Amino acid sequence: MTLVHPPLVAPMIEGIESEGPTVASTNPARHGEVVAAVRLGGAEVLVAAAQVARAAQRGWADVPAPVRGTVIGNFGRLVEDNADALARLVTREIGKPLAEARGEVQEIVDTCRFFLGEGRRLYGETVPSEMPDKQLFTFREPVGVMMVITAGNFPVAVPSWYIVPALLCGNAVVWKPAEYAAACARALTELARHAGLPAGVLSMVPASGEATADGLARTLAAGLVDKVGFTGSTAVGRQIGELCGRHLQTPCLELGGKNPMVVAPDADIDLAVDGALFGGFGTAGQRCTSLGTLIVHESVYVGFRRRLAVAVENAPIGDPTRAVLYGPLLDAKFAAGYERHLDLIREHHSTFGSTAVGRISVGAPRRGFVGDPADGLYYHPVVVDGLLPDDELFREETFGPIVGLTTYRTLEEAIELANLPGYGLSSAIYTNDPATVFRFRRGVSAGMVSVNNSTSGAEAHLPFGGNGRSGNGSRQSGRWVLDQVTRWQSMNWDYSGQLQKAQLDTAIPEADLEFRLTG
């Protein structure tokens, strides 16, 4: 190993020391490099973190919202001032190309800038009453303690979508990051704590999946957690949804995707190819918004396929510290899962895009590879042509550098194919016809629609989230996430000096509803 004494990432809980097994977080682009030794917390550590959060939350909620917004602004400034170091850590720990890592860090800054202003806009309403001398009000109140569980493909940006608005609104947060991205989690937590957060308001606990499930069950049963935010697989999201439902809670679930891109007859083909290349193969296809299936009109299929093949074949792949489209897969477990999906390629399919299918190696080289493929978890990009609606590759999320290709004749058929897998996260259509755009928007089930842009076109101030197998309709980002991290409280104030009963004592003027105009 290149690091004899790698830094230790342990649970960060105010006033609590923890023991537990230690695992290595390694650089997927360089097998021998240990980025951090990660001490995993057990279920009891998650419970302890929730107890600390519960004790700290009320005092944080009593801080005026504009002041909490200032703390969020401080957090964003610290991230911006440390942007290069944080981006390089993201690249080193999960293998994301440095340019994309810098964009991810910028997304945290954008999120903080947005919610800095929301600290002065946590508006309630004054509502007219049907009774005299009475006023009605609504208030946003924090939900309490939020447990945030995130994947590692966006190790700092996606957690900020939960943590920043939750803290702004007066909640305390217990964050369980992915073990293979724990060094990034520690860095982000340190930046947040130095922004002025009171002790105990934000804890970070790396933990295994089993310990997380047990800890979440215990904290919910003890009434220590009031809201769960989860980004990850559909299968785990179902389990979390079921567990929260037993405690009459609705979690915020952002799950997988099988995101379609429709290419219409009038599309700018070169632009569509650019969108397909970035959407399908950026981050090695390891985004929840990655392009899953290209649905191309049969009249432009031949030209589109030819240009896509050239683009994919010539895309630079390799060392993520250099100018590449994508680097390695995140971790060995994801590489193993991706290889299982490659086994779903059937005889009626044809593949293109590289010199081989599977892992890039001396025996299966990639033309133009940047660096040494033996160093990391590098895989060939592949486009699978001839997909049929019954194919598993058509219906299942693959989470790797693989894109499906099929054709359609009518827009109705394209929409049906787009919706068939049952996911509903992101979608895209390439066309210059407004009627086609709005017919597609109305028919597709996705929570997000891009027009002449890739499926990965989210911005920090728009609602992010999906439906069906992609989530439970909750949304992250922008002001829409406030409904996940706050609860509404109503108040009526009667200053008439007497008991007035709504619906019973309401004085309504008499009307002559039989009146009709004559002549």
Side-chain angles (χ1 to χ4, degrees), residues 261 263 269-281 291-296 300-315 325 350-354 366-367 381-385 402-406:
M261 177 186 288
V263 182
I269 298 300
D270 288 332
L271 184 62
V273 167
D274 286 345
L277 187 68
F278 179 74
F281 299 105
L291 169 61
T293 305
L294 284 159
I295 304 170
V296 181
V300 296
Y301 159 76
V302 173
F304 178 87
R305 186 189 190 282
R306 182 176 61 251
R307 287 185 237 184
L308 179 64
V310 171
V312 179
E313 289 166 3
N314 291 312
L325 176 62
S350 62
T351 62
F352 64 90
S354 195
R366 160 79 178 182
R367 186 178 64 250
V382 58
V383 181
V384 180
D385 197 0
I402 183 171
V403 172
L405 176 60
T406 191

Side-chain angles (χ1 to χ4, degrees), residues 392-414:
E392 286 182 79
L393 274 179
F394 183 88
R395 293 177 177 268
E396 297 302 323
E397 183 181 30
T398 49
F399 210 69
I402 183 171
V403 172
L405 176 60
T406 191
T407 61
Y408 76 97
R409 292 183 178 181
T410 67
L411 183 59
E412 289 71 23
E413 180 187 1

Side-chain angles (χ1 to χ4, degrees), residues 41-218:
E44 70 285 352
V45 178
L46 285 164
V47 172
Q51 290 169 335
V52 169
R54 175 65 71 198
Q57 186 270 325
R58 190 65 260 167
W60 175 237
D62 287 340
V63 173
V67 178
R68 296 198 302 262
T70 300
V71 174
I72 295 303
N74 292 341
F75 180 30
R77 179 174 176 178
L78 282 168
V79 171
E80 189 170 24
D81 290 346
N82 291 272
D84 187 66
L86 185 57
R88 290 184 182 281
L89 179 58
V90 168
T91 294
R92 188 165 164 242
E93 189 166 36
I94 69 162
K96 180 173 289 189
L98 189 55
E100 280 196 53
R102 286 175 172 142
E104 176 170 349
V105 172
Q106 181 61 43
E107 192 162 356
I108 307 170
V109 177
D110 294 344
T111 297
C112 289
R113 286 174 177 167
F114 180 88
F115 284 104
L116 163 63
E118 289 302 296
R120 297 184 182 273
R121 286 191 295 268
L122 287 178
Y123 299 146
E125 294 181 307
T126 302
V127 183
S129 172
E130 65 189 53
M131 316 297 269
D133 297 325
K134 185 179 182 182
Q135 285 290 343
L136 311 179
F137 306 89
T138 65
F139 302 87
R140 280 193 185 274
E141 288 293 311
V143 292
V145 174
M146 185 175 192
M147 183 175 289
V148 174
I149 305 168
T150 57
N153 56 338
F154 283 82
V156 290
V158 168
S160 76
W161 294 357
Y162 295 104
I163 293 170
V164 169
L167 293 175
L168 173 81
C169 292
N171 300 285
V173 175
V174 176
W175 175 25
K176 202 299 286 186
E179 310 96 292
Y180 59 89
C184 293
R186 182 184 65 176
L188 191 67
T189 304
E190 287 179 342
L191 291 170
R193 286 184 166 186
H194 280 84
L197 287 178
V201 170
L202 174 62
S203 297
M204 188 277 291
V205 182
S208 68
E210 295 79 6
T212 302
D214 189 10
L216 180 59
R218 292 192 202 179

